[in-house]
Amino acid sequence: MRLDVFAAALRALDAGRGVAIASVIGAHGSTPRHLGARMAVADDGEQWGTIGGGRIEQLVAAAAREVA
């Protein structure tokens, strides 16, 4: 079953949680995810989807928690 990032984000928002959505808008060289890949991050750190994993995803998730 494919996870719908926007549906998960809406459920979290309906529950009163803050949410930020990150999207891959550019890539250079070999990357694990394609342009348009998305990840939603709630203010408590729960995540849905992925933008590729690894250190860059950790950094983006931390920034998204602050935004959320």
Side-chain angles (χ1 to χ4, degrees):
M1 179 170 80
R2 186 176 83 79
L3 174 67
D4 183 41
V5 172
F6 291 116
L10 285 173
R11 283 192 300 274
L13 289 169
D14 285 344
R17 298 162 69 188
V19 177
I21 295 177
S23 181
V24 175
I25 61 169
H28 183 273
S30 177
T31 61
R33 295 290 292 166
H34 60 279
L35 294 179
R38 291 180 294 268
M39 168 177 77
V41 181
D43 53 7
D44 63 2
E46 187 173 1
Q47 293 179 216
W48 304 276
T50 182
I51 58 166
R55 180 74 176 136
I56 193 68
E57 186 165 303
Q58 290 175 344
L59 294 171
V60 170
R65 278 192 305 276
E66 290 182 31
V67 170

